[in-house]
Amino acid sequence: MENKPNLLVRGTAAGGQIMFFSLDSTQLVEEARIKHNLSPLSTVVLGRLLTAAALAGQELKGEKDVLTMILKGTGPAGTVLVTSDSQSRVKGYIDNIDLETVSREDGHFDVAWAVGPEDGYLTVIRDLGLKEPYVGRTELISGEIAEDLAYYYAVSQQTPSVVSLGVLIDTDGSVKHAGGFMLQLLPNTSEEVIDALEPLVGGFPPVTYLLEQGFNAAELMDLLLNRLGFEITTETTAQYYCDCSKERMERKLMTIGKADLQSIVDDDQDGVELVCNFCNTKYNITKDDIGKMIEE
Ligand SMILES: [Zn+2]
């Protein structure tokens, strides 16, 4: 299999007892870094959550289904919010785009410091087009994001999972490698399979290390699961994608109410500039535009 950018594969292992998703998100995380002008540690935090959302997005079925993950700890990163659709088209933002580099003793970036797991929560919202979205929330147990997501799946979804996420920053601040995988054990998974899986997962190198060695998303799963027997069922690509438009921004502006819109027109201003949170595209809403909105 060639190494396509943002390659995402899914499949099953151990005769269907394990479901897996694996992604090389290098390109989409780099795109997020550029769009938001992120510092290295801010890139790692947002990049891990974007990778997680792209993997989890594969569980959505409907074309209009949307999954939102909100990571809110008490560290300097602030709120980190990402969304994915069923095609793993993701977008997101982090409050603090300029986190200083703080490293752990082992030299890795200190993501847990940035997130601050104390009194923090991971909220996952699945909007499946029903009357109410499905909302699940669990406390943060590590702040490293992968462990927090695995805990969410275990507690909120009753699905034992293994999650690995990684973002490696190059010396120039760009994204060298990013990726992750998720394994989900189905309810019928035998003790035998669980016992066989544990040492494989426990001794598995970090995803970014393997990407650097030239393994692609499919080969990662081969390396991890070939002893259990595995099959790739879907091969696709994730992407960073924002669907904002001037019309959408106008609709958002309308929610401030007629009186406030009128006051913008009355004050001798050139209108307003709105910036998309997800991609930083700037939209100029002129006084004429606002006048039309008031008429409507
Ligand atoms: Zn946008």
Side-chain angles (χ1 to χ4, degrees), residues 130-167:
L130 305 169
K131 219 180 236 174
E132 297 283 335
Y134 177 84
V135 182
R137 193 166 96 139
T138 47
E139 60 195 12
L140 299 180
I141 55 162
S142 86
E144 291 283 335
I145 304 177
E147 291 88 341
D148 301 302
L149 190 62
Y151 183 72
Y152 163 81
Y153 274 104
V155 171
S156 188
Q157 306 280 297
Q158 286 84 46
T159 306
S161 304
V162 176
V163 184
S164 177
L165 305 167
V167 178

PDB file of all heavy atoms in Angstrom, residues 130-167:
ATOM      1  N   LEU A 130     -30.828  13.356  15.443  1.00  0.00           N
ATOM      2  CA  LEU A 130     -32.030  13.076  16.221  1.00  0.00           C
ATOM      3  C   LEU A 130     -32.438  14.343  16.957  1.00  0.00           C
ATOM      4  O   LEU A 130     -31.780  15.364  16.863  1.00  0.00           O
ATOM      5  CB  LEU A 130     -31.753  11.942  17.222  1.00  0.00           C
ATOM      6  CG  LEU A 130     -31.213  10.657  16.592  1.00  0.00           C
ATOM      7  CD1 LEU A 130     -30.722   9.698  17.655  1.00  0.00           C
ATOM      8  CD2 LEU A 130     -32.279   9.997  15.724  1.00  0.00           C
ATOM      9  N   LYS A 131     -33.513  14.261  17.731  1.00  0.00           N
ATOM     10  CA  LYS A 131     -34.004  15.442  18.441  1.00  0.00           C
ATOM     11  C   LYS A 131     -32.926  16.024  19.348  1.00  0.00           C
ATOM     12  O   LYS A 131     -32.672  17.214  19.361  1.00  0.00           O
ATOM     13  CB  LYS A 131     -35.237  15.040  19.265  1.00  0.00           C
ATOM     14  CG  LYS A 131     -36.327  16.095  19.270  1.00  0.00           C
ATOM     15  CD  LYS A 131     -37.494  15.612  20.093  1.00  0.00           C
ATOM     16  CE  LYS A 131     -38.791  15.617  19.277  1.00  0.00           C
ATOM     17  NZ  LYS A 131     -39.895  15.012  20.030  1.00  0.00           N
ATOM     18  N   GLU A 132     -32.294  15.144  20.115  1.00  0.00           N
ATOM     19  CA  GLU A 132     -31.253  15.574  21.043  1.00  0.00           C
ATOM     20  C   GLU A 132     -29.940  14.900  20.668  1.00  0.00           C
ATOM     21  O   GLU A 132     -29.936  13.713  20.343  1.00  0.00           O
ATOM     22  CB  GLU A 132     -31.624  15.140  22.475  1.00  0.00           C
ATOM     23  CG  GLU A 132     -32.883  15.765  23.017  1.00  0.00           C
ATOM     24  CD  GLU A 132     -32.674  17.206  23.458  1.00  0.00           C
ATOM     25  OE1 GLU A 132     -31.528  17.553  23.793  1.00  0.00           O
ATOM     26  OE2 GLU A 132     -33.658  17.975  23.448  1.00  0.00           O
ATOM     27  N   PRO A 133     -28.824  15.634  20.751  1.00  0.00           N
ATOM     28  CA  PRO A 133     -27.544  14.962  20.535  1.00  0.00           C
ATOM     29  C   PRO A 133     -27.212  14.071  21.725  1.00  0.00           C
ATOM     30  O   PRO A 133     -27.715  14.288  22.833  1.00  0.00           O
ATOM     31  CB  PRO A 133     -26.543  16.119  20.421  1.00  0.00           C
ATOM     32  CG  PRO A 133     -27.179  17.247  21.140  1.00  0.00           C
ATOM     33  CD  PRO A 133     -28.671  17.056  21.045  1.00  0.00           C
ATOM     34  N   TYR A 134     -26.394  13.069  21.511  1.00  0.00           N
ATOM     35  CA  TYR A 134     -25.961  12.200  22.591  1.00  0.00           C
ATOM     36  C   TYR A 134     -24.700  12.809  23.218  1.00  0.00           C
ATOM     37  O   TYR A 134     -23.710  13.035  22.532  1.00  0.00           O
ATOM     38  CB  TYR A 134     -25.677  10.797  22.053  1.00  0.00           C
ATOM     39  CG  TYR A 134     -25.163   9.880  23.118  1.00  0.00           C
ATOM     40  CD1 TYR A 134     -26.043   9.215  23.973  1.00  0.00           C
ATOM     41  CD2 TYR A 134     -23.804   9.705  23.291  1.00  0.00           C
ATOM     42  CE1 TYR A 134     -25.577   8.405  24.981  1.00  0.00           C
ATOM     43  CE2 TYR A 134     -23.319   8.892  24.308  1.00  0.00           C
ATOM     44  CZ  TYR A 134     -24.213   8.243  25.147  1.00  0.00           C
ATOM     45  OH  TYR A 134     -23.747   7.453  26.154  1.00  0.00           O
ATOM     46  N   VAL A 135     -24.753  13.092  24.522  1.00  0.00           N
ATOM     47  CA  VAL A 135     -23.621  13.743  25.189  1.00  0.00           C
ATOM     48  C   VAL A 135     -23.048  12.826  26.262  1.00  0.00           C
ATOM     49  O   VAL A 135     -23.777  12.329  27.123  1.00  0.00           O
ATOM     50  CB  VAL A 135     -24.046  15.074  25.853  1.00  0.00           C
ATOM     51  CG1 VAL A 135     -22.839  15.765  26.494  1.00  0.00           C
ATOM     52  CG2 VAL A 135     -24.707  15.992  24.834  1.00  0.00           C
ATOM     53  N   GLY A 136     -21.750  12.564  26.192  1.00  0.00           N
ATOM     54  CA  GLY A 136     -21.073  11.774  27.220  1.00  0.00           C
ATOM     55  C   GLY A 136     -19.920  12.582  27.790  1.00  0.00           C
ATOM     56  O   GLY A 136     -19.279  13.347  27.070  1.00  0.00           O
ATOM     57  N   ARG A 137     -19.695  12.433  29.077  1.00  0.00           N
ATOM     58  CA  ARG A 137     -18.641  13.233  29.692  1.00  0.00           C
ATOM     59  C   ARG A 137     -17.942  12.417  30.765  1.00  0.00           C
ATOM     60  O   ARG A 137     -18.606  11.773  31.583  1.00  0.00           O
ATOM     61  CB  ARG A 137     -19.265  14.483  30.309  1.00  0.00           C
ATOM     62  CG  ARG A 137     -18.250  15.534  30.694  1.00  0.00           C
ATOM     63  CD  ARG A 137     -18.955  16.840  30.957  1.00  0.00           C
ATOM     64  NE  ARG A 137     -19.214  16.986  32.375  1.00  0.00           N
ATOM     65  CZ  ARG A 137     -19.066  18.137  33.043  1.00  0.00           C
ATOM     66  NH1 ARG A 137     -18.669  19.215  32.408  1.00  0.00           N
ATOM     67  NH2 ARG A 137     -19.315  18.199  34.312  1.00  0.00           N
ATOM     68  N   THR A 138     -16.623  12.425  30.727  1.00  0.00           N
ATOM     69  CA  THR A 138     -15.859  11.760  31.786  1.00  0.00           C
ATOM     70  C   THR A 138     -14.757  12.698  32.261  1.00  0.00           C
ATOM     71  O   THR A 138     -14.307  13.578  31.519  1.00  0.00           O
ATOM     72  CB  THR A 138     -15.213  10.437  31.293  1.00  0.00           C
ATOM     73  OG1 THR A 138     -14.563  10.671  30.044  1.00  0.00           O
ATOM     74  CG2 THR A 138     -16.242   9.335  31.129  1.00  0.00           C
ATOM     75  N   GLU A 139     -14.319  12.461  33.499  1.00  0.00           N
ATOM     76  CA  GLU A 139     -13.235  13.287  34.026  1.00  0.00           C
ATOM     77  C   GLU A 139     -11.921  12.903  33.352  1.00  0.00           C
ATOM     78  O   GLU A 139     -11.769  11.790  32.839  1.00  0.00           O
ATOM     79  CB  GLU A 139     -13.140  13.120  35.541  1.00  0.00           C
ATOM     80  CG  GLU A 139     -12.868  11.688  35.955  1.00  0.00           C
ATOM     81  CD  GLU A 139     -13.136  11.453  37.440  1.00  0.00           C
ATOM     82  OE1 GLU A 139     -13.744  12.338  38.075  1.00  0.00           O
ATOM     83  OE2 GLU A 139     -12.752  10.389  37.944  1.00  0.00           O
ATOM     84  N   LEU A 140     -11.004  13.834  33.337  1.00  0.00           N
ATOM     85  CA  LEU A 140      -9.681  13.556  32.773  1.00  0.00           C
ATOM     86  C   LEU A 140      -8.872  12.769  33.793  1.00  0.00           C
ATOM     87  O   LEU A 140      -8.840  13.115  34.971  1.00  0.00           O
ATOM     88  CB  LEU A 140      -8.963  14.867  32.421  1.00  0.00           C
ATOM     89  CG  LEU A 140      -9.667  15.752  31.386  1.00  0.00           C
ATOM     90  CD1 LEU A 140      -8.841  17.020  31.129  1.00  0.00           C
ATOM     91  CD2 LEU A 140      -9.884  15.002  30.076  1.00  0.00           C
ATOM     92  N   ILE A 141      -8.234  11.694  33.327  1.00  0.00           N
ATOM     93  CA  ILE A 141      -7.448  10.887  34.270  1.00  0.00           C
ATOM     94  C   ILE A 141      -5.946  11.102  34.099  1.00  0.00           C
ATOM     95  O   ILE A 141      -5.173  10.823  34.993  1.00  0.00           O
ATOM     96  CB  ILE A 141      -7.779   9.376  34.150  1.00  0.00           C
ATOM     97  CG1 ILE A 141      -7.593   8.884  32.713  1.00  0.00           C
ATOM     98  CG2 ILE A 141      -9.195   9.108  34.634  1.00  0.00           C
ATOM     99  CD1 ILE A 141      -7.471   7.385  32.618  1.00  0.00           C
ATOM    100  N   SER A 142      -5.525  11.611  32.925  1.00  0.00           N
ATOM    101  CA  SER A 142      -4.077  11.821  32.766  1.00  0.00           C
ATOM    102  C   SER A 142      -3.726  13.155  32.108  1.00  0.00           C
ATOM    103  O   SER A 142      -2.650  13.688  32.329  1.00  0.00           O
ATOM    104  CB  SER A 142      -3.457  10.681  31.962  1.00  0.00           C
ATOM    105  OG  SER A 142      -3.556  10.933  30.568  1.00  0.00           O
ATOM    106  N   GLY A 143      -4.599  13.675  31.251  1.00  0.00           N
ATOM    107  CA  GLY A 143      -4.285  14.894  30.511  1.00  0.00           C
ATOM    108  C   GLY A 143      -3.436  14.639  29.281  1.00  0.00           C
ATOM    109  O   GLY A 143      -3.123  15.567  28.535  1.00  0.00           O
ATOM    110  N   GLU A 144      -3.047  13.378  29.064  1.00  0.00           N
ATOM    111  CA  GLU A 144      -2.244  13.046  27.873  1.00  0.00           C
ATOM    112  C   GLU A 144      -3.128  12.779  26.657  1.00  0.00           C
ATOM    113  O   GLU A 144      -2.653  12.485  25.568  1.00  0.00           O
ATOM    114  CB  GLU A 144      -1.357  11.834  28.160  1.00  0.00           C
ATOM    115  CG  GLU A 144      -0.233  12.106  29.150  1.00  0.00           C
ATOM    116  CD  GLU A 144       0.936  12.869  28.525  1.00  0.00           C
ATOM    117  OE1 GLU A 144       1.118  12.776  27.307  1.00  0.00           O
ATOM    118  OE2 GLU A 144       1.649  13.560  29.262  1.00  0.00           O
ATOM    119  N   ILE A 145      -4.418  12.824  26.841  1.00  0.00           N
ATOM    120  CA  ILE A 145      -5.472  12.741  25.821  1.00  0.00           C
ATOM    121  C   ILE A 145      -5.790  11.304  25.397  1.00  0.00           C
ATOM    122  O   ILE A 145      -6.951  10.902  25.446  1.00  0.00           O
ATOM    123  CB  ILE A 145      -5.189  13.641  24.601  1.00  0.00           C
ATOM    124  CG1 ILE A 145      -4.985  15.101  25.096  1.00  0.00           C
ATOM    125  CG2 ILE A 145      -6.342  13.586  23.587  1.00  0.00           C
ATOM    126  CD1 ILE A 145      -4.616  16.091  24.023  1.00  0.00           C
ATOM    127  N   ALA A 146      -4.795  10.499  25.000  1.00  0.00           N
ATOM    128  CA  ALA A 146      -5.092   9.123  24.579  1.00  0.00           C
ATOM    129  C   ALA A 146      -5.701   8.324  25.734  1.00  0.00           C
ATOM    130  O   ALA A 146      -6.733   7.664  25.572  1.00  0.00           O
ATOM    131  CB  ALA A 146      -3.826   8.436  24.057  1.00  0.00           C
ATOM    132  N   GLU A 147      -5.080   8.414  26.903  1.00  0.00           N
ATOM    133  CA  GLU A 147      -5.586   7.699  28.079  1.00  0.00           C
ATOM    134  C   GLU A 147      -6.974   8.223  28.470  1.00  0.00           C
ATOM    135  O   GLU A 147      -7.842   7.469  28.901  1.00  0.00           O
ATOM    136  CB  GLU A 147      -4.645   7.872  29.277  1.00  0.00           C
ATOM    137  CG  GLU A 147      -3.314   7.168  29.143  1.00  0.00           C
ATOM    138  CD  GLU A 147      -2.261   8.022  28.440  1.00  0.00           C
ATOM    139  OE1 GLU A 147      -2.632   8.998  27.737  1.00  0.00           O
ATOM    140  OE2 GLU A 147      -1.073   7.704  28.576  1.00  0.00           O
ATOM    141  N   ASP A 148      -7.146   9.529  28.319  1.00  0.00           N
ATOM    142  CA  ASP A 148      -8.432  10.130  28.677  1.00  0.00           C
ATOM    143  C   ASP A 148      -9.543   9.644  27.749  1.00  0.00           C
ATOM    144  O   ASP A 148     -10.665   9.414  28.174  1.00  0.00           O
ATOM    145  CB  ASP A 148      -8.325  11.659  28.630  1.00  0.00           C
ATOM    146  CG  ASP A 148      -7.257  12.170  29.582  1.00  0.00           C
ATOM    147  OD1 ASP A 148      -7.360  11.887  30.787  1.00  0.00           O
ATOM    148  OD2 ASP A 148      -6.304  12.809  29.122  1.00  0.00           O
ATOM    149  N   LEU A 149      -9.202   9.479  26.466  1.00  0.00           N
ATOM    150  CA  LEU A 149     -10.190   9.003  25.506  1.00  0.00           C
ATOM    151  C   LEU A 149     -10.517   7.520  25.752  1.00  0.00           C
ATOM    152  O   LEU A 149     -11.684   7.114  25.696  1.00  0.00           O
ATOM    153  CB  LEU A 149      -9.674   9.197  24.070  1.00  0.00           C
ATOM    154  CG  LEU A 149     -10.702   8.963  22.979  1.00  0.00           C
ATOM    155  CD1 LEU A 149     -11.864   9.943  23.085  1.00  0.00           C
ATOM    156  CD2 LEU A 149     -10.056   9.065  21.598  1.00  0.00           C
ATOM    157  N   ALA A 150      -9.488   6.724  26.078  1.00  0.00           N
ATOM    158  CA  ALA A 150      -9.724   5.308  26.389  1.00  0.00           C
ATOM    159  C   ALA A 150     -10.633   5.183  27.622  1.00  0.00           C
ATOM    160  O   ALA A 150     -11.525   4.338  27.666  1.00  0.00           O
ATOM    161  CB  ALA A 150      -8.395   4.593  26.616  1.00  0.00           C
ATOM    162  N   TYR A 151     -10.397   6.045  28.601  1.00  0.00           N
ATOM    163  CA  TYR A 151     -11.219   6.048  29.815  1.00  0.00           C
ATOM    164  C   TYR A 151     -12.661   6.426  29.478  1.00  0.00           C
ATOM    165  O   TYR A 151     -13.616   5.814  29.967  1.00  0.00           O
ATOM    166  CB  TYR A 151     -10.623   7.031  30.829  1.00  0.00           C
ATOM    167  CG  TYR A 151     -11.345   7.082  32.149  1.00  0.00           C
ATOM    168  CD1 TYR A 151     -11.251   6.023  33.055  1.00  0.00           C
ATOM    169  CD2 TYR A 151     -12.103   8.191  32.500  1.00  0.00           C
ATOM    170  CE1 TYR A 151     -11.909   6.069  34.278  1.00  0.00           C
ATOM    171  CE2 TYR A 151     -12.766   8.247  33.726  1.00  0.00           C
ATOM    172  CZ  TYR A 151     -12.666   7.182  34.601  1.00  0.00           C
ATOM    173  OH  TYR A 151     -13.324   7.233  35.804  1.00  0.00           O
ATOM    174  N   TYR A 152     -12.810   7.416  28.605  1.00  0.00           N
ATOM    175  CA  TYR A 152     -14.158   7.818  28.160  1.00  0.00           C
ATOM    176  C   TYR A 152     -14.894   6.622  27.533  1.00  0.00           C
ATOM    177  O   TYR A 152     -16.054   6.344  27.843  1.00  0.00           O
ATOM    178  CB  TYR A 152     -14.071   8.975  27.156  1.00  0.00           C
ATOM    179  CG  TYR A 152     -15.352   9.146  26.370  1.00  0.00           C
ATOM    180  CD1 TYR A 152     -16.439   9.833  26.914  1.00  0.00           C
ATOM    181  CD2 TYR A 152     -15.503   8.566  25.110  1.00  0.00           C
ATOM    182  CE1 TYR A 152     -17.629   9.944  26.220  1.00  0.00           C
ATOM    183  CE2 TYR A 152     -16.681   8.677  24.405  1.00  0.00           C
ATOM    184  CZ  TYR A 152     -17.740   9.357  24.966  1.00  0.00           C
ATOM    185  OH  TYR A 152     -18.921   9.446  24.283  1.00  0.00           O
ATOM    186  N   TYR A 153     -14.204   5.914  26.633  1.00  0.00           N
ATOM    187  CA  TYR A 153     -14.852   4.773  25.970  1.00  0.00           C
ATOM    188  C   TYR A 153     -15.214   3.679  26.970  1.00  0.00           C
ATOM    189  O   TYR A 153     -16.274   3.065  26.871  1.00  0.00           O
ATOM    190  CB  TYR A 153     -13.956   4.203  24.867  1.00  0.00           C
ATOM    191  CG  TYR A 153     -14.147   4.926  23.559  1.00  0.00           C
ATOM    192  CD1 TYR A 153     -13.218   5.849  23.101  1.00  0.00           C
ATOM    193  CD2 TYR A 153     -15.282   4.707  22.792  1.00  0.00           C
ATOM    194  CE1 TYR A 153     -13.401   6.532  21.911  1.00  0.00           C
ATOM    195  CE2 TYR A 153     -15.485   5.380  21.607  1.00  0.00           C
ATOM    196  CZ  TYR A 153     -14.540   6.286  21.172  1.00  0.00           C
ATOM    197  OH  TYR A 153     -14.747   6.963  20.004  1.00  0.00           O
ATOM    198  N   ALA A 154     -14.326   3.441  27.929  1.00  0.00           N
ATOM    199  CA  ALA A 154     -14.580   2.382  28.911  1.00  0.00           C
ATOM    200  C   ALA A 154     -15.781   2.738  29.791  1.00  0.00           C
ATOM    201  O   ALA A 154     -16.654   1.900  30.027  1.00  0.00           O
ATOM    202  CB  ALA A 154     -13.337   2.159  29.766  1.00  0.00           C
ATOM    203  N   VAL A 155     -15.836   3.986  30.256  1.00  0.00           N
ATOM    204  CA  VAL A 155     -16.847   4.377  31.236  1.00  0.00           C
ATOM    205  C   VAL A 155     -18.159   4.788  30.570  1.00  0.00           C
ATOM    206  O   VAL A 155     -19.235   4.345  30.941  1.00  0.00           O
ATOM    207  CB  VAL A 155     -16.312   5.526  32.130  1.00  0.00           C
ATOM    208  CG1 VAL A 155     -17.414   6.088  33.012  1.00  0.00           C
ATOM    209  CG2 VAL A 155     -15.140   5.025  32.961  1.00  0.00           C
ATOM    210  N   SER A 156     -18.044   5.645  29.552  1.00  0.00           N
ATOM    211  CA  SER A 156     -19.250   6.229  28.981  1.00  0.00           C
ATOM    212  C   SER A 156     -19.879   5.330  27.914  1.00  0.00           C
ATOM    213  O   SER A 156     -21.084   5.340  27.722  1.00  0.00           O
ATOM    214  CB  SER A 156     -18.914   7.602  28.387  1.00  0.00           C
ATOM    215  OG  SER A 156     -20.080   8.263  27.988  1.00  0.00           O
ATOM    216  N   GLN A 157     -19.047   4.579  27.207  1.00  0.00           N
ATOM    217  CA  GLN A 157     -19.551   3.725  26.126  1.00  0.00           C
ATOM    218  C   GLN A 157     -19.498   2.236  26.473  1.00  0.00           C
ATOM    219  O   GLN A 157     -19.858   1.400  25.656  1.00  0.00           O
ATOM    220  CB  GLN A 157     -18.722   3.956  24.848  1.00  0.00           C
ATOM    221  CG  GLN A 157     -18.647   5.408  24.413  1.00  0.00           C
ATOM    222  CD  GLN A 157     -19.900   5.832  23.673  1.00  0.00           C
ATOM    223  OE1 GLN A 157     -20.215   5.306  22.615  1.00  0.00           O
ATOM    224  NE2 GLN A 157     -20.632   6.769  24.249  1.00  0.00           N
ATOM    225  N   GLN A 158     -18.989   1.921  27.645  1.00  0.00           N
ATOM    226  CA  GLN A 158     -18.799   0.518  28.054  1.00  0.00           C
ATOM    227  C   GLN A 158     -18.038  -0.280  26.991  1.00  0.00           C
ATOM    228  O   GLN A 158     -18.320  -1.444  26.728  1.00  0.00           O
ATOM    229  CB  GLN A 158     -20.139  -0.171  28.361  1.00  0.00           C
ATOM    230  CG  GLN A 158     -20.763   0.268  29.673  1.00  0.00           C
ATOM    231  CD  GLN A 158     -21.569   1.543  29.520  1.00  0.00           C
ATOM    232  OE1 GLN A 158     -22.353   1.677  28.597  1.00  0.00           O
ATOM    233  NE2 GLN A 158     -21.368   2.493  30.415  1.00  0.00           N
ATOM    234  N   THR A 159     -17.067   0.397  26.335  1.00  0.00           N
ATOM    235  CA  THR A 159     -16.267  -0.266  25.313  1.00  0.00           C
ATOM    236  C   THR A 159     -14.793  -0.211  25.715  1.00  0.00           C
ATOM    237  O   THR A 159     -14.188   0.849  25.673  1.00  0.00           O
ATOM    238  CB  THR A 159     -16.428   0.450  23.950  1.00  0.00           C
ATOM    239  OG1 THR A 159     -17.814   0.525  23.637  1.00  0.00           O
ATOM    240  CG2 THR A 159     -15.706  -0.292  22.845  1.00  0.00           C
ATOM    241  N   PRO A 160     -14.236  -1.350  26.135  1.00  0.00           N
ATOM    242  CA  PRO A 160     -12.803  -1.340  26.444  1.00  0.00           C
ATOM    243  C   PRO A 160     -12.014  -0.989  25.175  1.00  0.00           C
ATOM    244  O   PRO A 160     -12.255  -1.571  24.120  1.00  0.00           O
ATOM    245  CB  PRO A 160     -12.516  -2.780  26.872  1.00  0.00           C
ATOM    246  CG  PRO A 160     -13.845  -3.383  27.177  1.00  0.00           C
ATOM    247  CD  PRO A 160     -14.846  -2.671  26.321  1.00  0.00           C
ATOM    248  N   SER A 161     -11.110  -0.016  25.298  1.00  0.00           N
ATOM    249  CA  SER A 161     -10.404   0.476  24.125  1.00  0.00           C
ATOM    250  C   SER A 161      -8.933   0.693  24.431  1.00  0.00           C
ATOM    251  O   SER A 161      -8.540   0.897  25.576  1.00  0.00           O
ATOM    252  CB  SER A 161     -10.983   1.818  23.668  1.00  0.00           C
ATOM    253  OG  SER A 161     -12.363   1.715  23.419  1.00  0.00           O
ATOM    254  N   VAL A 162      -8.152   0.660  23.369  1.00  0.00           N
ATOM    255  CA  VAL A 162      -6.755   1.064  23.461  1.00  0.00           C
ATOM    256  C   VAL A 162      -6.601   2.237  22.511  1.00  0.00           C
ATOM    257  O   VAL A 162      -6.998   2.150  21.351  1.00  0.00           O
ATOM    258  CB  VAL A 162      -5.811  -0.082  23.007  1.00  0.00           C
ATOM    259  CG1 VAL A 162      -4.368   0.395  23.005  1.00  0.00           C
ATOM    260  CG2 VAL A 162      -5.996  -1.310  23.889  1.00  0.00           C
ATOM    261  N   VAL A 163      -6.062   3.351  23.006  1.00  0.00           N
ATOM    262  CA  VAL A 163      -5.888   4.533  22.160  1.00  0.00           C
ATOM    263  C   VAL A 163      -4.435   4.977  22.230  1.00  0.00           C
ATOM    264  O   VAL A 163      -3.852   5.043  23.314  1.00  0.00           O
ATOM    265  CB  VAL A 163      -6.799   5.698  22.605  1.00  0.00           C
ATOM    266  CG1 VAL A 163      -6.662   6.878  21.640  1.00  0.00           C
ATOM    267  CG2 VAL A 163      -8.259   5.260  22.702  1.00  0.00           C
ATOM    268  N   SER A 164      -3.853   5.263  21.073  1.00  0.00           N
ATOM    269  CA  SER A 164      -2.501   5.806  21.034  1.00  0.00           C
ATOM    270  C   SER A 164      -2.509   7.007  20.095  1.00  0.00           C
ATOM    271  O   SER A 164      -3.036   6.929  18.982  1.00  0.00           O
ATOM    272  CB  SER A 164      -1.534   4.728  20.524  1.00  0.00           C
ATOM    273  OG  SER A 164      -0.237   5.263  20.416  1.00  0.00           O
ATOM    274  N   LEU A 165      -1.962   8.133  20.550  1.00  0.00           N
ATOM    275  CA  LEU A 165      -1.948   9.358  19.752  1.00  0.00           C
ATOM    276  C   LEU A 165      -0.567   9.985  19.859  1.00  0.00           C
ATOM    277  O   LEU A 165       0.032   9.967  20.932  1.00  0.00           O
ATOM    278  CB  LEU A 165      -2.979  10.366  20.275  1.00  0.00           C
ATOM    279  CG  LEU A 165      -4.430   9.909  20.391  1.00  0.00           C
ATOM    280  CD1 LEU A 165      -5.233  10.906  21.221  1.00  0.00           C
ATOM    281  CD2 LEU A 165      -5.058   9.759  19.003  1.00  0.00           C
ATOM    282  N   GLY A 166      -0.069  10.549  18.761  1.00  0.00           N
ATOM    283  CA  GLY A 166       1.236  11.197  18.845  1.00  0.00           C
ATOM    284  C   GLY A 166       1.418  12.285  17.805  1.00  0.00           C
ATOM    285  O   GLY A 166       0.900  12.186  16.692  1.00  0.00           O
ATOM    286  N   VAL A 167       2.124  13.336  18.209  1.00  0.00           N
ATOM    287  CA  VAL A 167       2.507  14.407  17.280  1.00  0.00           C
ATOM    288  C   VAL A 167       3.975  14.711  17.544  1.00  0.00           C
ATOM    289  O   VAL A 167       4.356  14.999  18.682  1.00  0.00           O
ATOM    290  CB  VAL A 167       1.661  15.683  17.496  1.00  0.00           C
ATOM    291  CG1 VAL A 167       2.120  16.787  16.546  1.00  0.00           C
ATOM    292  CG2 VAL A 167       0.175  15.394  17.297  1.00  0.00           C
TER     293      VAL A 167
END
